[in-house]
Amino acid sequence: GQNIDQPTEMTATEGAIVQINCTYQTSGFNGLFWYQQHAGEAPTFLSYNVLDGLEEKGRFSSFLSRSKGYSYLLLKELQMKDSASYLCAALQGGKLIFGQGTELSVKP
Amino acid sequence: GAVVSQHPSRVICKSGTSVKIECRSLDFQATTMFWYRQFPKQSLMLMATSNEGSKATYEQGVEKDKFLINHASLTLSTLTVTSAHPEDSSFYICSARDFSGGSSYEQYFGPGTRLTVT
């Protein structure tokens, strides 16, 4: 079976740091993706983790622990334009299995 | 970078009619394309995997006779929603995988098609 959980919504303040968590239970796991999606648009790629540890890319970082079935996306120096839905997706057998998405609202 | 287009971006059709959505990889060849649907405030649900030159593989619960997929070339896959009903109204998104270099696991998403059935 497969199950991917992430919080439905989060609120943070401009300039702050926010961490969006994702837990997963899938068979045949091949890595974890994070995507950003603005309303009415397609998802855009943020990160891909296949090994344990932290991957840093500018203001965004992503962490994976395969043994714990856990990942997080860390957003630093939040900007208003970061308000969007953030999707966690597990790669399983060449297919992406998405979580329900976390709606992030950045307030001034 | 890899670009995927979809056409049309929006379509309104009457109940009972059929609608065709095109997904094209513009600057790479995609042996595999994926079709998703997304309801408001929900995540992407994989409908089917489309492989060039062979039949699509549908996810459990997706009616293959209702959602016809044709992957006729390495750059084009089409999804036809047959005998559409209001409950088929949704945001349909395709993605394509580029095996030519870099990460073969990354999927590039099209901009999506908003289907409204009246």
Side-chain angles (χ1 to χ4, degrees), chain A residues 37 42 48 91 94-95 98-99, chain B residues 34 38 43 59 97 105 109-110:
Chain A
Q37 186 181 28
Y48 170 57
L91 185 64
K95 299 188 293 187
F98 283 87
Chain B
F34 302 88
Q38 186 176 33
S43 192
E59 295 299 302
R97 210 155 66 192
Y105 292 121
F109 286 86

Side-chain angles (χ1 to χ4, degrees), chain B residues 5 89 96:
Chain B
S5 71
S89 299

Side-chain angles (χ1 to χ4, degrees), chain A residues 29-34 45-51 55 57 62 64 66 89-91 96, chain B residues 103-106:
Chain A
F29 177 78
N30 291 123
L32 198 291
F33 284 84
W34 283 95
F45 170 80
L46 291 177
S47 68
Y48 170 57
N49 293 65
V50 63
L51 300 176
E55 296 272 348
K57 191 184 295 183
S62 57
L64 177 67
R66 295 178 68 127
L91 185 64
L96 284 176
Chain B
S103 167
S104 65
Y105 292 121
E106 186 171 347

Side-chain angles (χ1 to χ4, degrees), chain A residues 35 42-45, chain B residues 1-6 23-33 74-75 94-111:
Chain A
Y35 287 88
T44 55
F45 170 80
Chain B
V3 178
V4 176
S5 71
Q6 272 185 249
C23 177
R24 293 181 185 272
S25 57
L26 298 186
D27 49 4
F28 66 99
Q29 294 183 330
T31 55
T32 303
M33 290 184 172
L74 287 172
T75 59
C94 73
S95 71
R97 210 155 66 192
D98 179 9
F99 286 96
S100 63
S103 167
S104 65
Y105 292 121
E106 186 171 347
Q107 293 184 22
Y108 300 94
F109 286 86

Side-chain angles (χ1 to χ4, degrees), chain A residues 24-81:
Chain A
Y24 64 89
Q25 292 177 314
T26 65
S27 54
F29 177 78
N30 291 123
L32 198 291
F33 284 84
W34 283 95
Y35 287 88
Q36 180 192 63
Q37 186 181 28
H38 287 98
E41 299 180 11
T44 55
F45 170 80
L46 291 177
S47 68
Y48 170 57
N49 293 65
V50 63
L51 300 176
D52 285 359
L54 186 68
E55 296 272 348
E56 297 186 77
K57 191 184 295 183
R59 293 190 300 116
F60 293 4
S61 302
S62 57
F63 172 84
L64 177 67
S65 169
R66 295 178 68 127
S67 61
K68 295 181 180 178
Y70 168 68
S71 174
Y72 67 73
L73 180 69
L74 192 71
L75 294 77
K76 303 176 186 176
E77 301 169 19
L78 280 173
Q79 301 174 10
M80 298 298 290
K81 67 177 182 179

Side-chain angles (χ1 to χ4, degrees), chain B residues 8-118:
Chain B
S9 57
R10 290 179 177 272
V11 58
I12 300 173
C13 70
K14 292 184 185 295
S15 188
T17 61
S18 295
V19 173
K20 179 185 284 188
I21 302 170
E22 293 186 349
C23 177
R24 293 181 185 272
S25 57
L26 298 186
D27 49 4
F28 66 99
Q29 294 183 330
T31 55
T32 303
M33 290 184 172
F34 302 88
W35 287 96
Y36 300 84
R37 65 189 294 181
Q38 186 176 33
F39 292 107
K41 301 292 186 182
Q42 296 186 25
S43 192
L44 280 74
M45 295 296 295
L46 180 64
M47 299 176 66
T49 302
S50 169
N51 296 297
E52 187 267 338
S54 64
K55 291 183 179 180
T57 303
Y58 290 82
E59 295 299 302
Q60 192 172 9
V62 177
E63 300 176 58
K64 61 181 181 181
D65 294 329
K66 181 169 181 61
F67 299 99
L68 302 179
I69 292 172
N70 182 25
H71 196 150
S73 76
L74 287 172
T75 59
L76 173 64
S77 176
T78 60
L79 168 68
T80 301
V81 183
T82 63
S83 186
H85 288 100
E87 57 265 30
D88 298 324
S89 299
S90 188
F91 192 47
Y92 291 86
I93 306 175
C94 73
S95 71
R97 210 155 66 192
D98 179 9
F99 286 96
S100 63
S103 167
S104 65
Y105 292 121
E106 186 171 347
Q107 293 184 22
Y108 300 94
F109 286 86
T113 297
R114 175 75 59 190
L115 170 63
T116 303
V117 184
T118 61

